[in-house]
Amino acid sequence: MHDLVLRGGTLVDGTGAPARTGDLAIDGDRIAQVGGRAGPGRREVDASGCLVAPGWVDVHTHYDGQVTWDPYLTPSSWHGVTTVVMGNCGVGFAPARPDRRTWLIGLMEGVEDIPGTALAEGIDWQWESFPEYLDALERMPRAIDVGAQVPHGAVRTYVMGERGAKNEPATPDDVAEMARIVREALAAGALGFSTSRTLLHRAVDGEPVPGTFANEQELLGIGRALGAAGHGVFELASDLAPETREFAWMEALSAETGRPVTFACLQNDLDPVQWRRSLAAVDAAARRGARVVPQVAGRPTGLLLGLQSSFHPFADHPTYRRELAALPLAERVRRMREPEMRARLLAERPASPLPIVQYIASSLHKLFPLGDPPDYEPGPEKSVRALAERTGRSPQEVAYDLLLAREGRELLYFPLLNYANGDFEPIREMLLHPRAVIGLSDGGAHCGIICDASMPTFLLTHWVRDRRRGARLPLEHVVRMQTADTAALFGLADRGRLEVGLRADVNVIDFENLRIDPPEMVYDLPAGSRRLVQRGHGYRMTIQGGEPIFEDGEPTGALPGRLIRGPQARPA
Ligand SMILES: [Zn+2]
């Protein structure tokens, strides 16, 4: 008698093999049978007409704080994610001396737009060292599995204090001590090390993430700790400037240590073919024996501009900042509807000289009503500028009026990255690159401006089923990308495939009715802080280690998730 039998589903096993119809049987937390006709189960579920796939393994999230108060790690778990890896991009909360806690919160708030008020209220600091952080996570009940990387920002300030925080060069002693701490973290179960090398990532005080300007000696010195441990991924977000030099150290680090180096690979408007050069550099490094892994996304980095968001096209206008920004939403909407206020705001320009502010406020050809169901690949005829041309208004007027729709809750979509061509063809090429690994959902992060944690669902709805503006992707490829491939990058050989003996992390998906809602702003973080969330529908069941944790979108109350310590061997 099996514990659970899923009958007659379409099995997409994560290996890329063709989907086939059959049963899936589960005993305890393991898969007992895949395909064919299984014997009776204590519980049986009719999965006919549904996809049965491994639980998604999302390797690029920022739940480092939320993981200490939210056992569900939403929105990710609403989208079939059963394993998350956090601690990306050099930011996180361990190691942390007590007098650095507030600063690390400010770093996370600045880089990832996670409200500092929520982090300050939500985190119960039961640790100083990284191993103590893992111990604390292990004590907390949770629905899905979590793995953590040790972040450069925290390590550097821990070792170097203010010199580290202010991005002063590290001495050989500093590097040795950082490497020692990273070795200790890896021994305790860290899945890797992460760093940031982009000027876009700054603490609330404006300081780039500690380690942003780290030289080759520092990077390689720390990388050797991964080599000595024999496990761990070296992750980074980088401006790739200068490109040749960045790829040179990534390749050298991987070649010397044998560890994979993974970097965020996205298309940007200023250099819309850089991603092609990056993929070529990755292939060249592979020919020379290094593993440099492009981490790619399934859709653009989608800024959601609204009156409740961190930014919108009028947010930096002097009158808005002075008279409106602090008002409650309803009052702001009322004032903005006054013709005199409308005229004043439309006549102004953003005050900030920051290029990103100017760029967004003036790029209304790239601004779109997202719609319901949300359209993440809108044609140029749907842009605010095109709407303006058709209706004889200015793009600013159109944007202004759209922001006031739905009582000021409307969100406008600004695809910041991966949309320079105005369609998803570059993304499709990246998703098909044989060395690419899917990531960049940024679950838990950018609460006031981005919500791409639904990416795992979107990969199925858009890329497999709904795409109209270009070729779609095979179901089996899309499933493999976010199961076997992501698990393999982090050495998690116990999951990511439907195979006898592996962990029973499974999604049962009503594919025909799978869909995502428009994102919305909610105020459910600690201290009533805001975050953008996005619901998914069509997951009939999400099973974690043999136990259903969600059924038809409702949590079952089961909390079988655990902390992952280090790479996981394939069960014998
Ligand atoms: Zn990130």
Side-chain angles (χ1 to χ4, degrees):
M1 185 75 110
H2 296 296
D3 289 325
L4 178 59
V5 175
L6 310 173
R7 291 262 176 231
T10 301
L11 303 167
V12 189
D13 67 10
T15 67
R20 62 191 199 278
T21 305
D23 296 348
L24 186 105
I26 295 169
D27 290 343
D29 63 354
R30 301 284 150 182
I31 294 171
Q33 181 176 336
V34 184
R37 169 92 196 161
R42 259 177 281 282
R43 180 169 180 200
E44 302 212 359
V45 174
D46 177 9
S48 55
C50 290
L51 302 180
V52 176
W56 314 137
V57 178
D58 187 339
V59 298
H60 195 121
T61 74
H62 293 280
Y63 288 117
D64 309 75
Q66 191 176 333
V67 73
T68 69
W69 70 75
D70 173 11
Y72 284 98
L73 298 183
T74 62
S76 289
S77 66
W78 293 337
H79 293 276
V81 175
T82 53
T83 300
V84 293
V85 177
M86 55 191 192
N88 282 286
C89 303
V91 291
F93 299 110
R97 294 187 205 284
D99 63 357
R100 272 284 159 197
R101 292 172 182 167
T102 307
W103 192 84
L104 286 171
I105 286 174
L107 179 62
M108 184 64 89
E109 178 167 26
V111 173
E112 303 293 346
D113 193 19
I114 300 173
T117 45
L119 294 166
E121 166 106 1
I123 298 178
D124 171 14
W125 298 83
Q126 300 172 30
W127 62 86
E128 175 166 327
S129 70
F130 196 86
E132 287 166 357
Y133 176 61
L134 294 186
D135 289 345
L137 297 186
E138 196 161 52
R139 288 193 290 270
M140 300 168 196
R142 60 188 73 260
I144 67 175
D145 280 7
V146 298
Q149 299 166 97
V150 57
H152 202 173
V155 174
R156 205 172 199 272
T157 44
Y158 191 80
V159 170
M160 297 171 62
E162 201 57 16
R163 287 186 301 119
K166 291 280 180 256
N167 277 301
E168 287 178 29
T171 66
D173 285 350
D174 293 330
V175 174
E177 180 61 5
M178 283 190 266
R180 188 191 67 75
I181 284 176
V182 170
R183 257 197 322 275
E184 174 188 270
L186 291 163
L191 293 181
F193 170 83
S194 74
T195 191
S196 172
R197 300 176 70 73
T198 168
L199 294 175
L200 290 176
H201 286 169
R202 291 170 189 265
V204 281
D205 62 12
E207 187 64 34
V209 178
T212 299
F213 310 104
N215 61 21
E216 279 85 346
Q217 286 75 30
E218 181 173 348
L219 295 165
L220 200 59
I222 293 171
R224 286 190 186 115
L226 277 68
H231 74 89
V233 172
F234 194 111
E235 186 269 349
L236 63 142
S238 174
D239 290 333
L240 299 175
E243 213 168 293
T244 43
R245 191 158 175 192
E246 285 293 279
F247 279 107
W249 76 255
M250 286 192 249
E251 179 177 338
L253 193 153
S254 175
E256 187 191 318
T257 64
R259 302 315 313 155
V261 176
T262 182
F263 68 101
C265 182
L266 293 148
Q267 184 191 38
N268 75 75
D269 287 10
L270 295 176
D271 187 352
V273 293
Q274 183 190 45
W275 63 274
R276 279 187 195 281
R277 297 197 303 275
S278 296
L279 294 181
V282 161
D283 288 335
R287 284 194 293 275
R288 294 186 286 261
R291 269 177 79 198
V292 180
V293 180
Q295 215 174 99
V296 302
R299 71 187 193 210
T301 305
L303 303 191
L304 298 167
L305 310 184
L307 295 183
Q308 295 174 292
S309 305
S310 303
F311 189 73
H312 60 74
F314 304 93
D316 203 52
H317 285 30
T319 297
Y320 188 89
R321 293 180 62 159
R322 204 171 47 240
E323 297 181 32
L324 300 174
L327 298 176
L329 179 65
E331 175 68 3
R332 227 174 331 146
V333 169
R334 196 186 62 72
R335 293 285 313 278
M336 286 179 73
R337 282 186 176 143
E338 293 165 2
E340 183 266 347
M341 178 60 81
R342 184 173 185 274
R344 257 166 77 201
L345 281 169
L346 285 170
E348 289 181 4
R349 286 280 157 271
S352 168
L354 277 180
I356 184 85
V357 170
Q358 295 290 335
Y359 171 67
I360 295 172
S362 63
S363 300
L364 301 187
H365 63 289
K366 275 192 73 161
L367 187 65
F368 302 88
L370 189 55
D372 182 8
D375 180 3
Y376 285 94
E377 194 183 6
E381 74 286 354
K382 293 187 176 171
S383 74
V384 162
R385 189 169 74 186
L387 283 172
E389 279 164 11
R390 278 204 299 281
T391 55
R393 291 176 291 165
S394 74
Q396 281 74 17
E397 283 178 275
V398 172
Y400 191 97
D401 296 339
L402 282 170
L403 286 173
L404 292 173
R406 298 197 296 128
E407 296 306 311
R409 287 184 172 77
E410 191 64 282
L411 292 165
L412 300 176
Y413 170 57
F414 187 89
L416 180 66
L417 297 164
N418 276 355
Y419 214 58
N421 300 29
D423 67 31
F424 280 10
E425 282 312 289
I427 300 178
R428 194 173 72 89
E429 272 188 59
M430 285 188 253
L431 290 172
L432 286 170
H433 189 274
R435 299 181 210 287
V437 165
I438 191 92
L440 311 178
S441 81
D442 265 347
H446 306 297
C447 301
I449 195 87
I450 300 171
C451 187
D452 286 332
S454 67
M455 199 109 71
T457 305
F458 180 80
L459 282 165
L460 290 182
T461 54
H462 189 77
W463 280 108
V464 179
R465 191 189 65 194
D466 296 341
R467 186 163 190 244
R468 297 284 175 272
R469 297 188 59 214
R472 293 192 279 271
L473 293 175
L475 170 66
E476 292 85 350
H477 179 84
V478 161
V479 169
R480 194 194 73 207
M481 278 203 90
Q482 51 184 342
T483 54
D485 287 0
T486 41
L489 176 62
F490 280 85
L492 305 178
D494 62 339
R495 68 195 67 208
R497 286 162 290 146
L498 300 181
E499 240 175 73
V500 173
L502 264 56
R503 285 183 59 79
D505 297 349
V506 183
N507 278 312
V508 182
I509 302 166
D510 178 0
F511 183 48
E512 238 168 87
N513 293 303
L514 188 67
R515 63 188 167 85
I516 49 181
D517 286 346
E520 58 173 332
M521 190 69 81
V522 298
Y523 292 79
D524 66 351
L525 288 178
S529 305
R530 73 179 170 182
R531 63 172 179 152
L532 285 159
V533 296
Q534 186 166 34
R535 289 271 180 177
H537 304 276
Y539 288 94
R540 288 222 12 232
M541 197 177 257
T542 298
I543 298 164
Q544 167 72 44
E547 288 191 56
I549 52 170
F550 283 96
E551 292 188 28
D552 295 317
E554 294 300 322
T556 62
L559 297 173
R562 62 186 179 92
L563 172 77
I564 302 167
R565 285 192 189 264
Q568 302 292 309
R570 197 187 183 295

